[in-house]
Amino acid sequence: MPEIRNYTLNFGPQHPAAHGVLRLVLEMDGEVVQRADPHIGLLHRGTEKLAESKPYNQSIGYMDRLDYMSMMCNEHGYCMAIERLLGIEPPLRAQYIRVMFDEITRILNHLLWLGTHALDVGAMTMFLYCFREREDLVDCYEAVSGSRMHATYYRPGGVARDLPDTMAQYQPSRWKSKADVAVLNKERQGGLLDFIEAFTERFPTKVDEYETLLTENRIWRQRTVGIGVVDPERALQLGFTGPMLRGSGVEWDLRKKQPYAAYDRVDFDIPVGVNGDSYDRYLVRMEEMRQSNRIIRQCVEWLKNNPGPVRVDDRKIMAPAREEMKADMESLIHHFKLFTEGYCVPQGEAYATVEHPKGEFGVYMISDGANKPYRVKVRPPGYVHLSALDEMSRGHMLADVVTLIGSLDIVFGEIDR
């Protein structure tokens, strides 16, 4: 018998359509992983340095592109850091809008995670189901910002504009008859809040469909149960946050423990796992989608009954309304000056963090009194989770590495920022 020796295997670089540009160097003993060395640096964007070279209000769009599945949550952390430096607080209606869109973003993220994770493991149907619901939610993004992904909707001091009273409608075409279009437009007759409310009414049954396909599926359980087990103490030592930490049984959620925006005004539960394996992390994220749906329903009800301002009334920070710009040259000049030169922020430093769909997303910012930050440092959850991949994958089979990468829910825009 020839002696079996360890060998090194290049796993990747992966295509961005998978989980970002990840390259793993695996040391294998046959088909068993002895060591996993994650190599990053294939997507470097220099986001933090770019943010230091531009006025504060010109870098909001960069935040969308960090984790491009959790766009508005990234914006929220960045805007909160600026608001703490400025000493301002957005109006309550803006806070509720932020909470609603943070939770819409959480569902968007988890739907894409579920579809791609299941696809990695071998379940193709889930991908099609998840994107069916994602289409409605990216329509909500488009309704408030004109963009289906990189919204740049949050602003220091509030949000860019109030929620629209109408929804875009499908039009008849050579591919869709009037009858088909009437069915598609059935829930688009009212405003955005009506559209979101209709979505929240049917979404729990869709999550039931996902669980029917996967939760008790024998193949799914064989591929996820007992894979990548991390106990609570070790999860804390590794710096886990979000579903990775809660999947190990630690009930830590910034929305409850350090409430921000309007999270202290809504009711929801924190799902936690028991075994700390890939299956528990799956169950935690599934329940998080149900809880997010519950929060969105509460926000819709409050927003319908409480009109009001969505931006602070400070012309040094917020641009004038478009109606004013069209009627007043001074407002038009102010608009251009604000978006080209920005505004000066008092000296100081601030750290703001949000419960991002993947974990704790923080922005540390230092101001020297100029119109651009002296330093910007982003704390992304995926970077920390990826560093644990070596420990989690040792002793597992090569096929389990695919499951683990999906279980981590990593996006490389924030990791190699």
Side-chain angles (χ1 to χ4, degrees):
M1 288 286 291
E3 182 184 355
I4 298 175
R5 296 180 179 178
N6 285 8
Y7 63 95
T8 301
L9 176 70
N10 255 320
F11 190 91
Q14 301 287 4
H15 189 274
H19 298 279
V21 193
L22 168 64
R23 177 191 176 214
L24 285 177
V25 178
L26 301 176
E27 189 176 311
M28 309 291 296
D29 179 5
E31 207 176 335
V32 178
V33 179
Q34 299 295 306
R35 183 170 177 270
D37 184 11
H39 283 225
I40 63 173
L42 303 171
L43 186 72
H44 194 57
R45 297 173 170 197
T47 300
E48 292 153 330
K49 285 300 169 191
L50 283 168
E52 291 167 12
S53 69
K54 296 183 180 299
Y56 288 90
N57 56 352
Q58 288 187 17
S59 295
I60 300 170
Y62 285 131
M63 300 300 121
D64 287 301
R65 290 158 175 82
L66 284 171
D67 174 2
Y68 34 83
M69 293 300 110
S70 309
M71 297 73 68
M72 288 200 198
C73 292
N74 301 337
E75 294 178 24
H76 201 168
Y78 180 75
C79 289
M80 279 173 57
I82 297 173
E83 286 161 1
R84 289 179 182 177
L85 286 170
L86 289 169
I88 60 174
E89 186 172 335
L92 186 57
R93 182 174 175 84
Q95 303 276 26
Y96 266 94
I97 290 173
R98 285 182 175 185
V99 168
M100 183 176 74
F101 270 99
D102 276 11
E103 296 310 312
I104 287 174
T105 305
R106 196 176 312 279
I107 295 176
L108 276 169
N109 180 92
H110 286 353
L111 284 175
L112 187 115
W113 159 80
L114 179 62
T116 54
H117 184 29
L119 193 64
D120 288 344
V121 175
M124 183 174 179
T125 308
M126 281 307 309
F127 190 81
L128 305 175
Y129 276 32
C130 291
F131 268 73
R132 177 187 61 190
E133 272 66 72
R134 271 181 61 87
E135 280 302 303
D136 286 335
L137 294 180
V138 293
D139 282 350
C140 299
Y141 261 52
E142 188 175 13
V144 295
S145 71
S147 171
R148 291 167 66 81
M149 278 186 67
H150 304 311
T152 321
Y153 177 57
Y154 293 3
R155 297 283 194 277
V159 293
R161 59 189 67 81
D162 208 343
L163 304 174
D165 296 327
T166 58
M167 282 294 292
Q169 306 253 327
Y170 288 98
Q171 300 298 321
S173 68
R174 58 189 292 188
W175 297 281
K176 289 187 175 68
S177 66
K178 287 186 177 180
D180 294 333
V181 168
V183 173
L184 292 170
N185 288 335
K186 185 178 178 182
E187 294 177 350
R188 296 169 176 268
Q189 303 305 311
L192 175 61
L193 288 173
D194 299 313
F195 182 76
I196 295 173
E197 187 174 35
F199 176 86
T200 60
E201 288 171 359
R202 68 176 184 277
F203 185 61
T205 61
K206 304 300 183 184
V207 181
D208 292 341
E209 288 181 13
Y210 310 153
E211 294 222 58
T212 301
L213 278 171
L214 291 183
T215 302
E216 296 302 328
N217 184 297
R218 180 167 57 91
I219 301 172
W220 180 255
R221 290 178 68 101
Q222 286 173 340
R223 291 298 305 274
T224 56
V225 172
I227 303 300
V229 176
V230 183
D231 62 54
E233 293 77 16
R234 188 58 184 150
L236 289 167
Q237 290 168 359
L238 289 168
F240 282 7
T241 52
M244 293 292 294
L245 181 61
R246 293 190 285 274
S248 292
V250 180
E251 190 180 352
W252 178 262
D253 190 314
L254 291 172
R255 297 172 295 173
K256 286 276 193 185
K257 305 300 183 183
Q258 299 174 14
Y260 55 94
Y263 277 112
D264 56 344
R265 297 168 177 263
V266 293
D267 185 40
F268 64 99
D269 298 319
I270 305 174
V272 293
V274 177
N275 303 307
D277 57 6
S278 293
Y279 187 68
D280 272 18
R281 291 189 281 273
Y282 154 78
L283 292 175
V284 164
R285 290 183 175 107
M286 296 300 283
E287 182 57 28
E288 279 192 6
M289 287 197 282
R290 297 184 190 275
Q291 295 300 323
S292 291
N293 196 68
R294 182 177 163 193
I295 294 170
I296 293 167
R297 287 185 68 86
Q298 294 172 62
C299 291
V300 167
E301 182 182 355
W302 190 93
L303 289 165
K304 280 189 171 183
N305 297 321
N306 294 275
V310 296
R311 311 189 300 173
V312 293
D313 187 19
D314 187 343
R315 285 297 181 83
K316 290 182 179 179
I317 299 165
M318 303 300 292
R322 287 191 176 275
E323 296 79 20
E324 292 181 50
M325 286 192 292
K326 291 177 180 179
D328 179 27
M329 180 59 73
E330 188 176 335
S331 295
L332 182 64
I333 293 170
H334 173 63
H335 169 88
F336 283 115
K337 186 175 176 63
L338 187 67
F339 281 102
T340 54
E341 297 181 14
Y343 41 78
C344 293
V345 170
Q347 285 188 11
E349 56 186 279
Y351 178 70
T353 182
V354 298
E355 188 62 41
H356 182 284
K358 293 176 172 60
E360 180 177 322
F361 177 87
V363 177
Y364 175 62
M365 193 176 289
I366 302 175
S367 169
D368 59 359
N371 67 335
K372 58 187 72 170
Y374 176 72
R375 282 289 181 270
V376 174
K377 172 65 178 172
V378 172
R379 190 272 182 203
Y383 186 85
V384 180
H385 297 156
L386 181 64
S387 67
L389 185 60
D390 174 35
E391 185 174 320
M392 293 172 71
S393 60
R394 289 189 181 193
H396 286 301
M397 306 288 277
L398 177 61
D400 296 330
V401 175
V402 179
T403 301
L404 284 170
I405 293 171
S407 179
L408 292 176
D409 188 15
I410 51 176
V411 165
F412 259 72
E414 66 169 15
I415 292 171
D416 192 21
R417 63 206 175 283

